[in-house]
Amino acid sequence: QVQLVESGGGLVQPGGSLRLSCAASGIIFSINAMGWYRQAPGKQRELVATITSSGNTNYADSVKGRFTISRDNAENTVYLQMNGLKPEDTAVYFCNADRTRAVVASTLLEYRELWGQGTLVTVSS
């Protein structure tokens, strides 16, 4: 089985910082792109940032200059450093992995898309 396990959410005051982590468990051969999405109450899930295996990044306009996505390919882990947090950043943040190739029961499988369970980020004074 391959899973994405997130950590790092919590409560922070406006202007504060948090760092989210997401690790892919299992025998991973490769992961194409990894990213973070978020879903605020009553809203649709939206893209926050993505990073390819070669390190190319893409950010939502609302987080540019405040959030930084990075990745450790050897550890199959993606990070999201969030600075200058605002109340409107409050949401459940989900990790995503695009095209994960992994060995399961001695068989090489490709998972088109994987999602983590989500971690809550609350920005409030």
Side-chain angles (χ1 to χ4, degrees):
Q1 290 288 348
V2 179
Q3 290 182 319
L4 299 180
V5 181
E6 301 142 338
S7 61
L11 173 64
V12 63
Q13 291 187 343
S17 298
L18 280 176
R19 188 189 195 210
L20 305 182
S21 300
C22 171
S25 65
I27 305 174
I28 307 296
F29 183 74
S30 65
I31 303 175
N32 183 31
M34 299 186 78
W36 291 95
Y37 292 71
R38 67 186 181 187
Q39 187 166 17
K43 295 188 177 182
Q44 289 188 334
R45 190 173 297 189
E46 64 177 5
L47 178 142
V48 176
T50 60
I51 184 167
T52 66
S53 57
S54 57
N56 293 319
T57 59
N58 180 51
Y59 294 93
D61 288 342
S62 59
V63 306
K64 282 181 181 176
R66 300 188 297 123
F67 291 10
T68 302
I69 190 170
S70 61
R71 178 172 173 170
D72 184 334
N73 289 329
E75 298 294 328
N76 298 306
T77 300
V78 64
Y79 304 96
L80 186 68
Q81 178 66 44
M82 304 185 292
N83 299 328
L85 282 160
K86 304 175 181 180
E88 51 263 43
D89 294 317
T90 295
V92 177
Y93 284 70
F94 296 90
C95 176
N96 173 272
D98 171 67
R99 284 186 283 157
T100 301
R101 300 178 73 192
V103 175
V104 179
S106 303
T107 302
L108 181 62
L109 302 178
E110 181 172 291
Y111 297 83
R112 182 177 177 182
E113 192 170 51
L114 291 170
W115 290 94
Q117 80 284 358
T119 185
L120 177 63
V121 172
T122 303
V123 185
S124 175
S125 54

